[in-house]
Amino acid sequence: MNISLEQMVSIFRLNGGMVLADVDIAAFMGVFLPEFPAGKRGLPGVDLMAVPGLEALFTAAETERASGFRVLKKQAEWLCGRLAVKQAVAEVLGVSPRGVTVDTEPEGAPFLAGYKATPISISHSGDHAVAVVSTRKGCRVAVDLEQVEAGRMPHVARVAFTPREIAELDGASDAEWYRRWTLKEAYLKYIAKGFHESLKKVEILNRGICHNGEAVAGIAWETPEFREGYQLSVVWQR
């Protein structure tokens, strides 16, 4: 890792035989797109093929694809998510990170091209993009990251939480609301449904994770401490 990459990427070992890579999106932009002020990512996308240095981290096909996004924010998030995958996979498999590429299933779930037996998951929010890679072949994993915004949950609750969940969360802190929300989103990724399944079909209750009213077996989950102001949850196959 060169100095700039060390400033952008942090690697963590998680329970369940997983490695998490965290990429600081603001630091990434400071290195490769310094002409754009911090927080001003709602600008039109740029030609990333002309940005020096990206070729050391990404294939030409990856940079070209990211260039196709219309908004700078989406470009930065997509590249940083891929960078997180590359660094986590390099840690797990001992391969060159630049050669690690991601493909997607028809419903959008990501997988490693050439290493499909090594499960991955990607998420991003605010100034961070993360990827989780399982060290256990064939054992699915899923991660969700959200930046905590005070006062947001009452609006989310109407579309994301069932009456049973809302009753249990009465008087709970923002952190607990976000813990359950990220667990819900991570589980939907775990079953490779994403936006194709109603959030209310998955319940995060005191007794565990329920899907279609039934407790889910064969999985484990954790909400490890992450960065201040963020909530991260991981679900994995036992």
Side-chain angles (χ1 to χ4, degrees):
M1 240 186 229
N2 60 39
I3 297 298
S4 60
L5 196 53
E6 288 177 346
Q7 293 170 347
M8 288 183 273
V9 183
S10 300
I11 302 290
F12 304 91
R13 292 272 174 176
L14 303 179
N15 292 333
M18 293 173 292
V19 170
L20 179 141
D22 165 35
V23 177
D24 186 319
I25 299 174
F28 177 89
M29 293 189 66
V31 171
F32 294 105
L33 298 162
E35 65 271 31
F36 295 100
K40 298 294 184 181
R41 297 183 206 149
L43 299 171
V46 300
D47 178 12
L48 295 168
M49 300 297 287
V51 176
L54 290 179
E55 70 280 355
L57 303 177
F58 305 99
T59 65
E62 289 172 323
T63 307
E64 184 176 13
R65 180 175 176 187
S67 289
F69 297 123
R70 295 182 177 181
V71 180
L72 184 65
K73 179 178 184 291
K74 176 66 175 177
Q75 291 181 326
E77 289 172 344
W78 192 91
L79 284 177
C80 288
R82 267 37 183 191
L83 180 58
V85 171
K86 290 171 184 289
Q87 296 300 316
V89 171
E91 182 77 11
V92 171
L93 299 181
V95 297
S96 169
R98 187 181 181 279
V100 174
T101 57
V102 177
D103 205 341
T104 54
E105 301 283 6
E107 289 190 335
F111 67 90
L112 289 178
Y115 303 97
K116 201 168 183 180
T118 300
I120 64 169
S121 184
I122 307 168
S123 188
H124 53 73
S125 183
D127 277 333
H128 294 272
V130 298
V132 166
V133 177
S134 177
T135 62
R136 300 183 299 147
K137 289 190 175 182
C139 291
R140 287 176 291 161
V141 298
V143 64
D144 188 65
L145 176 69
E146 297 291 342
Q147 186 173 22
V148 176
E149 298 177 35
R152 183 184 180 192
M153 281 297 109
H155 305 287
V156 173
R158 289 195 291 268
V159 297
F161 292 93
T162 67
R164 289 199 299 179
E165 290 177 298
I166 292 171
E168 286 192 359
L169 285 163
D170 183 37
S173 65
D174 281 335
E176 180 60 16
W177 279 91
Y178 271 89
R179 187 186 75 84
R180 297 202 185 197
W181 187 27
T182 54
L183 272 174
K184 186 187 293 268
E185 294 279 6
Y187 176 76
L188 285 169
K189 291 181 180 181
Y190 176 83
I191 61 174
K193 291 293 185 181
F195 295 114
H196 302 285
E197 182 79 305
S198 168
L199 285 165
K200 291 188 177 182
K201 288 188 177 181
V202 177
E203 294 177 295
I204 311 301
L205 302 170
N206 290 336
R207 63 190 179 98
I209 298 178
C210 295
H211 189 195
N212 292 322
E214 299 291 332
V216 179
I219 64 171
W221 60 89
E222 187 177 11
T223 52
E225 288 190 14
F226 188 63
R227 309 294 185 184
E228 184 176 354
Y230 289 83
Q231 180 65 58
L232 181 141
S233 288
V234 185
V235 175
W236 67 94
Q237 186 175 356
R238 284 190 182 275

